[in-house]
Structure formats: structure tokens, C-alpha cells
Amino acid sequence: MKTRLLQHIQGLSDDQLPAYVYDLAALRSHTRTIRSALPDRVELFYAAKANSDPRLLRTLGEHVDGFEVASAGELRHVRRLFPTSRIAFGGPGKTARELSHALEAGVERVHVESQHELRVLTTLVGERTVDVLLRVNPPLPLGRLPLVMGGRPSPFGMDPAQLDACLRILAAHPRIRLRGVHAHLASGLDAPAQLALVERVVGWAAHWTRAHGLPLDEVNVGGGMGVDYEEPERVFDWSAFGTGLRRLLADHPGLTVRIEPGRSIGAYCGWYVTRVLDVKRSHGEAFAVVGGGTHHLRTPATRGHDQPFEIIPSDTWAWPWPRSAVRLEPVTLVGQLCTPKDVLASRVPVVRLRNGDRVAFAMAGAYAWNISHHDFLMHPEPGFHYLDDERLPTPAATTADCQWSVQGTGERLVRHGD
Ligand SMILES: *Cc1c(COP(=O)(O)O)cnc(C)c1O
């Protein structure tokens, strides 16, 4: 953990925990690294569903080419923050209402999930024009991958024959302009595997467009770039991915490839910080109960991993009896929920963990707070803190309820909701 971040965490009072701390400077530099590894003809969109926190989005806004949204709610949210940004609207089950909202909001692309959805769009487009990608689930066997959305029966996208049927609908509706195809097939791949998948998707798209006498203009290959919760330092190799894409694009002049990652952009910048409330033994095993739990950070429970963490020793101990502690043995970190599923990390060996110490769970910047079941058991919500060392733009009206404070030298800690 960076010293700056550690100091900020140590500066929080016990009453301010649990808390999410977002390192916006780290997010900015990570996103810059990603962008600079990618060739010009690769557009980087951020999948807002990974984390739609307004300050994260603002930080990303300067470094991505646009945003992918998957509901009218996300669309409104992103539009409010970025009145002119490029927005792609994807996701299954778009309602007519959502689609007409998308047309009014001027989305740059609609990712069509089915023939029905395309037909609904034909009734709404009116005198406007709208640019679409057809989302395909191509017949590409993918094998065993962490989260597979395609290459086998799936609710996402269309079989190639349905894509052909869409072409017939499009032929009768010139105001709906086909720009290319979309495929988001898997998640959790490392760079060589992701590149191999992109090559197969682009190969399939080239074949399909050629068969129909269409140009190969645009292929959106989705997100899913891997994040390794077991070995956090094994970051997706953006440089190798960029090099491979450059090679691929050389074979396809005129093609723009778009990617729309979420997790691999945001995961690393978020920390969920809490405090040990109790250390106990049960049938010979050590447990540490921390403030909060999986209702704030559901990721380890849904993915079945141990959330990586760092222990921040705290010497504050207000009680007249000795502190309970575990030393040089495995400990299971659980939250405050009355369910055996409230496990953040299981049987992880520690050098020392004491009642009252702080624990900072890493990689909590994506699919963390926003996918958690906040109201279960009605514990208080965590605080939110934003660490930055570059001046942020003036907060918009949507964030006017925030209290800003400056700590340290030129660093900024923004706090809200307390
Ligand atoms: C969820 C999703 C993404 C982002 O996936 P990550 O694993 O967060 O990179 C991108 N595109 C689509 C269509 C998605 O459903």
C-alpha cells in the first residue's frame, strides 16, 4: 500500500469505519497506462456497471473514449455527469421506454440484443437516425473460463442466423444504421487468451460481413480483461494486448476495434477499510469479526475468493482486559451479518491480527459496493473517501452534498455523507 494511502487510512477515526477509500490518482495513472498501450484504432469505453461512483467516472472521463451503459438509470447518470460524451447502450431486455430515452439522450451506439429489440427500435426512431451494433453470440467454443457469456447457449446476443434476419429488417429501415458487430463473450482472461478471443471474434466478423457484402468497420469485443484476486500483482498485460491488437489491425485496414472493460480499470483503485471488532476461536479455528461485511463488499462471497487484504496495526485499546489476537496461524475474516456466507477471506495465514487492528481489503474498486445487498440487517453504510493529488473539477450539482477537506501536502481527501 502506498504511504499516502496508508496515512489517510490511519487518519480516519474508528467512527469513520467501515469506509471505502478510492485512490483516484492511482485510477488516473492506471487508465492512462491502459490508454497509452492501445493503438489509435482501438477505442476504450468504460463499462459503468463495474462502478458508477460519480467521482470515479469524472476521473475516468478524461482518459476514456466513452462509456458503456446497460440501463436507462446508468444512461441518465452518465449523461448528467458528461453532457456530450459518447455513450454506448448495451444489455439484455431493453424496454421501449429505455430505447426511446436512449434516442432522446443521443447515445452514440445501441447494441441490439435481439430481433424483437431491433423491431421495437424501428417503431421509435422516427425522423432521427441511430447507429447500432448487432450483438452476436458466435459459434466459438470457449472451453472452461471464469464467466462465460457466449459461444454456447446464452441469453446474450444473437445466433448468426438471427443476425441475418436483422439485416432484412435493417434493409427496410435506413435510419437505423448498422455500424458493425458486438461480442462480449467471457470474463477473467489474461492478455494472450483475450487477444486470441479478439482475433477469433474479428475473424468471425470479417467472414460474416464479407458473406453479406458489408464493410468491416467496427467490432466491439466487450470487456472481461482479467483481474487476479489471488495474485493481485498479476495485472492484465495491456502492453502485450496493445501490441497484438496493432498486429491484428494491420490486417484489417478501416476497422475500428472497441473494448469496454470495467473490472480491470476500476478494481485496483478501491479499498474497503474496516476494523476488527472481535477475535475468537471456534472448534480450534481462529475467526476475526470485522465491522461491516459482505453487504458492503459482496465480491468475495459471489466469486468465492478470499478478498486480498492488508493489516494496519492500531495501538488503540480502550478496554481494561487483554486484547485477543491470532499469531502465525490462519484466520477467517467475517463480517457482522448473521449468515455463514458473510466471509471476506477464509483461513488466511497472518503474522498477527488483534482485536482493534484495521484491515484494508484491496481490489474493491469494481463490482464491490455497487453490487452488494446494502440493506440486509440494516447496519450503517460505509463512508466514502476520495484520495487525489491533482485538482478535481468543481463538483456538479449531483455531488453538492459532499464535504470537501484537504489533508496532507497537496493531497485531497473528499468525504461525503457524514
Ligand atoms: C459487464 C460487461 C462489460 C464489462 O465487463 P468487465 O468484466 O467488467 O470488464 C462489458 N460489456 C458488456 C456487454 C458487459 O455485460
Side-chain angles (χ1 to χ4, degrees):
M1 179 183 297
K2 289 192 296 192
T3 315
R4 247 165 14 83
L5 187 63
L6 178 63
Q7 284 167 350
H8 280 286
I9 291 174
Q10 286 171 329
L12 298 172
S13 69
D14 283 351
D15 289 344
Q16 289 177 294
L17 302 178
Y20 270 93
V21 179
Y22 292 119
D23 186 346
L24 299 182
L27 177 66
R28 184 179 293 109
S29 97
H30 180 55
T31 316
R32 271 194 196 129
T33 304
I34 294 174
R35 180 59 267 183
S36 62
L38 299 171
D40 285 347
R41 278 196 284 140
V42 174
E43 295 177 337
L44 174 63
F45 274 47
Y46 171 71
K49 80 167 189 277
N51 189 340
S52 52
D53 183 289
R55 284 183 204 69
L56 261 71
L57 293 179
R58 278 184 185 288
T59 304
L60 288 171
E62 301 158 33
H63 305 288
V64 296
D65 298 299
F67 296 92
E68 190 259 355
V69 301
S71 74
E74 285 186 352
L75 172 54
R76 266 192 293 273
H77 180 69
V78 171
R79 226 344 137 238
R80 207 160 37 225
L81 292 166
F82 302 98
T84 59
S85 70
R86 297 159 70 193
I87 298 180
F89 185 24
K94 298 179 199 72
T95 64
R97 219 188 155 112
E98 285 183 304
L99 287 168
S100 54
H101 179 68
L103 290 168
E104 276 152 33
V107 300
E108 187 225 22
R109 295 282 181 276
V110 173
H111 300 162
V112 175
E113 287 270 346
S114 74
Q115 283 174 74
H116 168 72
E117 201 172 284
L118 183 58
R119 288 203 176 98
V120 173
L121 203 53
T122 64
T123 69
L124 301 170
V125 66
E127 298 303 304
R128 288 172 289 224
T129 53
V130 58
D131 291 335
V132 302
L133 301 184
L134 299 177
R135 180 168 180 180
V136 63
N137 178 6
L140 304 175
L142 296 177
R144 285 165 56 81
L145 294 172
L147 257 183
V148 177
M149 292 83 157
R152 64 181 191 195
S154 139
F156 306 112
M158 292 176 269
D159 290 356
Q162 293 158 0
L163 235 59
D164 297 353
C166 284
L167 287 183
R168 292 191 284 278
I169 300 171
L170 287 166
H173 294 89
R175 287 182 175 277
I176 304 178
R177 300 184 299 208
L178 179 65
R179 303 301 295 254
V181 297
H182 177 281
H184 170 74
L185 298 180
S187 161
L189 305 183
D190 64 11
Q194 184 85 35
L195 191 62
L197 181 60
V198 171
E199 284 166 354
R200 291 173 75 189
V201 167
V202 169
W204 185 89
H207 173 82
W208 183 77
T209 48
R210 206 179 313 117
H212 293 281
L214 299 166
L216 181 66
D217 286 338
E218 191 175 312
V219 179
N220 183 323
V221 294
M225 292 71 185
V227 163
D228 194 331
Y229 292 90
E230 276 73 41
E231 290 182 63
E233 55 294 330
R234 284 186 47 173
V235 176
F236 187 86
D237 189 345
W238 288 101
S239 159
F241 187 57
T243 304
L245 289 175
R246 206 166 276 116
R247 227 177 14 240
L248 174 69
L249 286 168
D251 295 337
H252 297 285
L255 172 66
T256 299
V257 166
R258 183 177 288 181
I259 61 172
E260 45 184 28
R263 192 187 302 273
S264 54
I265 292 183
Y268 303 97
C269 79
W271 296 78
Y272 177 60
V273 185
T274 183
R275 178 169 77 92
V276 179
L277 302 177
D278 210 346
V279 173
K280 51 203 271 195
R281 299 199 151 270
S282 171
H283 295 252
E285 282 195 30
F287 288 83
V289 183
V290 302
T294 54
H295 54 307
H296 294 167
L297 177 59
R298 193 164 176 242
T299 330
T302 49
R303 289 177 61 94
H305 68 225
D306 296 326
Q307 194 71 24
F309 63 87
E310 292 187 27
I311 296 170
I312 303 169
S314 163
D315 290 326
T316 322
W317 180 250
W319 306 103
W321 49 84
R323 283 171 90 164
S324 49
V326 283
R327 283 192 177 76
L328 298 170
E329 69 172 300
V331 59
T332 294
L333 278 71
V334 301
Q336 293 173 283
L337 303 183
C338 313
T339 157
K341 294 186 193 271
D342 191 21
V343 177
L344 294 156
S346 186
R347 297 193 182 107
V348 179
V350 295
V351 175
R352 184 185 71 177
L353 183 62
R354 299 168 298 174
N355 194 343
D357 281 341
R358 293 182 172 189
V359 179
F361 290 95
M363 305 179 80
Y367 304 103
W369 166 248
N370 68 325
I371 59 150
S372 305
H373 44 295
H374 308 151
D375 292 335
F376 187 44
L377 265 87
M378 300 178 75
H379 283 293
E381 293 197 347
F384 287 86
H385 303 261
Y386 303 84
L387 181 62
D388 201 354
D389 47 17
E390 282 182 33
R391 272 195 82 78
L392 287 175
T394 315
T398 49
T399 58
D401 55 335
C402 301
Q403 178 190 325
W404 294 58
S405 64
V406 178
Q407 283 194 1
T409 45
E411 291 175 356
R412 188 180 284 266
L413 181 72
V414 190
R415 186 159 72 221
H416 78 113
D418 58 351

